[in-house]
């Protein structure tokens, strides 16, 4: 049980930092805006994505958040990472930019599995 709790908190904190803190601090920089434009998305899409990432990261990190909401959050981040990987692969080819979201998806999956090991009734 202790091992699963450690894995859960390490992976969930990493997701919180990557998907909550970093977007909140960097989304309005010119580099972030250019990244969105480079992929062919309108600038407002970056704002929408940032809002949902920050809210989702909070849902995952707050223990009292409803379990069903956590499930939807895990699903939303999965779609986000798969979409990011596909977008980068389509625009730039299959390089590091396309692989990195899949690495973060692996971290998310570890968080998800350990969450369910800690909450087996779900």
């Amino acid at each position: 049980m202790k091992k699963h709790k450690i894995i859960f908190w390490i992976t969930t904190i990493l997701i919180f930092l990557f998907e909550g803190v970093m977007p909140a601090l960097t989304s309005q920089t010119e580099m972030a805006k250019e990244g969105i434009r480079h992929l062919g998305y309108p600038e407002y899409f970056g704002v929408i994505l940032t809002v949902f990432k920050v809210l989702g990261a909070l849902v995952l990190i707050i223990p009292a958040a409803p379990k069903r909401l956590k499930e939807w959050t895990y699903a939303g981040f999965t779609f986000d990472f798969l979409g990011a990987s596909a977008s980068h692969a389509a625009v730039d080819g299959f390089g590091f930019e396309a692989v990195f979201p899949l690495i973060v998806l692996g971290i998310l999956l570890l968080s998800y599995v350990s969450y369910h090991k800690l909450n087996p009734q779900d």
Side-chain angles (χ1 to χ4, degrees):
M1 184 65 101
K2 186 176 179 179
K3 176 179 92 170
H4 298 301
K5 191 175 278 192
I6 291 169
I7 291 171
F8 171 77
W9 281 111
I10 288 173
T11 56
T12 305
I13 288 170
L14 285 172
I15 294 298
F16 177 75
L17 293 173
F18 275 122
E19 296 302 308
V21 176
M22 283 178 39
L25 297 177
T26 64
S27 68
Q28 294 305 305
T29 64
E30 191 53 41
M31 189 166 125
K33 291 176 184 180
E34 175 54 34
I36 291 290
R37 281 191 298 268
H38 173 73
L39 293 174
Y41 297 112
E43 196 170 308
Y44 68 83
F45 182 72
V47 174
I48 294 167
L49 201 55
T50 300
V51 169
F52 284 119
K53 284 182 175 196
V54 170
L55 291 174
L58 288 171
V59 167
L60 291 186
I61 205 84
I62 296 172
K67 291 173 175 67
R68 183 167 296 195
L69 188 57
K70 283 186 187 279
E71 287 290 328
W72 277 100
T73 301
Y74 278 116
F77 277 131
T78 299
F79 299 142
D80 174 51
F81 297 141
L82 292 174
S85 181
S87 293
H88 282 288
V91 172
D92 298 321
F94 196 74
F96 180 74
E97 292 86 5
V99 172
F100 187 71
L102 300 177
I103 293 169
V104 182
L105 176 60
I107 295 169
L108 180 76
L109 292 176
L110 282 172
S111 172
Y112 180 77
V113 168
S114 60
Y115 170 76
H116 279 285
K117 291 202 185 255
L118 292 170
N119 301 284
Q121 69 278 8
D122 296 338

